């Protein structure tokens, strides 16, 4: 499941989990990103992205790969974001914003290619919960995650634009209008999963 920051992915995944359906649901390990051997890598990234973007995206790659090792083979796996999001959206943005060098981008992309050939990190289908950046920005301000205090609207608009460029041209994508109610979104997600399964 893909969406901008603060779009509400976690809430929808929690609703799906509570529905009792037999899915394996993988939410992002933000707690690990906030406490990696005592280091808040997410915070370091936002505080000083030029120095810490490579470290943070490497950690994201590691956690996605480790998570994929636990994916079951006998039921649908619904994952909050994917390894590919990091490559196509966050690393690309880090590069465009000059947080990482071209060589560092190539390094992370090469790791992605190697890991992709060995582990189940490629989604079969993407569900894109499309919520306007302006709405996400309001929600982000309201939820007050400490690390994201300094994130500006323009950053979310760039994420939206990169995500649109990446996902809207793919064939294996279902786009959901994120302005709908949570229950409506959940029902649509269930129906998409049922069609695929
Ligand atoms: N992040 C990042 N690079 C990635 C993945 C995530 O910089 N490859 C950052 C963006 C956010 C934080 O990590 O600051 C959490 O990301 P999400 O947008 O995935 O999670 P949210 O909790 O914001 O999602 P939602 O509110 O939709 O549940």
């Amino acid at each position: 499941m893909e969406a901008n920051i603060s779009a509400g992915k976690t809430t929808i995944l929690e609703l799906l989990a509570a529905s009792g359906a037999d899915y394996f649901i993988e939410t992002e390990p933000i707690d690990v990103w906030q406490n990696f051997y005592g280091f808040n890598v997410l915070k370091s990234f936002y505080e000083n992205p030029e120095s810490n973007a490579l470290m943070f995206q490497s950690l994201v790659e590691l956690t996605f790969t480790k998570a994929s090792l636990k994916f079951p083979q006998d039921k649908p796996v619904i994952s909050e974001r994917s390894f590919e999001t990091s490559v196509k959206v966050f690393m690309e943005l880090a590069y465009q914003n000059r947080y990482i060098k071209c060589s560092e981008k190539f390094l992370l992309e090469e790791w992605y290619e190697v890991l992709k050939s060995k582990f189940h990190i490629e989604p079969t289908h993407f569900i894109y919960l499309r919520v306007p950046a302006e709405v996400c920005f309001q929600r982000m301000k309201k939820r007050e995650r400490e690390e994201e205090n300094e994130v500006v609207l323009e950053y979310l608009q760039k994420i939206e634009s990169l995500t649109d460029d990446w996902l809207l041209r793919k064939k294996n994508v279902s786009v959901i209008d994120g302005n709908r109610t949570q229950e409506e979104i959940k029902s649509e997600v269930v129906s998409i999963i049922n069609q695929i399964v």
Side-chain angles (χ1 to χ4, degrees):
M1 176 170 288
E2 303 289 349
N4 210 328
I5 298 173
S6 271
K9 298 177 290 296
T10 311
T11 312
I12 299 301
L13 292 176
E14 281 169 2
L15 281 174
L16 273 182
S19 74
D22 196 17
Y23 308 136
F24 184 88
I25 295 180
E26 184 72 41
T27 50
E28 272 178 332
I30 297 195
D31 52 331
V32 177
W33 303 346
Q34 290 170 320
N35 185 0
F36 183 66
Y37 293 91
F39 296 97
N40 188 334
V41 185
L42 180 65
K43 190 170 180 207
S44 314
F45 164 63
Y46 281 122
E47 277 176 354
N48 189 351
E50 287 83 1
S51 300
N52 299 314
L54 179 64
M55 167 65 203
F56 178 51
Q57 291 305 329
S58 303
L59 179 60
V60 172
E61 287 198 354
L62 174 75
T63 51
F64 271 120
T65 308
K66 278 176 83 171
S68 76
L69 300 176
K70 295 188 189 141
F71 288 169
Q73 300 296 312
D74 58 345
K75 59 174 87 169
V77 174
I78 325 290
S79 167
E80 182 178 5
R81 294 202 187 280
S82 60
F83 204 131
E84 210 173 318
T85 333
S86 297
V87 176
K88 303 288 186 190
V89 178
F90 289 97
M91 285 180 211
E92 182 56 35
L93 183 52
Y95 174 62
Q96 288 180 10
N97 283 351
R98 298 175 187 270
Y99 300 157
I100 58 171
K101 293 183 278 197
C102 194
S103 53
E104 292 171 331
K105 184 167 105 96
F106 284 138
L107 175 73
L108 293 167
E109 285 174 359
E110 282 258 339
W111 269 116
Y112 174 54
E113 291 303 321
V114 170
L115 294 167
K116 193 165 78 170
S117 66
K118 284 279 167 203
F119 304 107
H120 296 281
I121 53 175
E122 263 190 298
T124 44
H125 196 89
F126 294 88
I127 297 175
Y128 179 17
L129 182 60
R130 199 174 182 289
V131 180
E134 292 71 18
V135 176
C136 291
F137 185 71
Q138 295 307 327
R139 291 182 187 166
M140 190 182 70
K141 288 284 154 203
K142 204 167 160 194
R143 95 172 155 197
E144 290 183 317
R145 184 182 279 149
E146 194 202 333
E147 292 84 352
E148 294 166 347
N149 274 345
E150 304 299 320
V151 177
V152 293
L153 174 60
E154 191 195 2
Y155 190 73
L156 301 192
Q157 287 168 331
K158 286 183 178 170
I159 290 175
E160 178 176 274
S161 159
L162 284 166
T163 309
D164 282 356
D165 287 349
W166 162 50
L167 284 180
L168 297 183
R169 67 183 65 187
K170 270 181 177 286
K171 289 206 173 73
N172 56 341
V173 178
S174 304
V175 182
I176 298 182
D177 175 3
N179 285 317
R180 299 169 67 189
T181 66
Q182 289 175 346
E183 269 306 319
E184 284 171 345
I185 294 171
K186 189 203 83 180
S187 303
E188 200 168 333
V189 171
V190 169
S191 122
I192 292 164
I193 296 167
N194 287 340
Q195 279 171 36
I196 297 163
V197 174

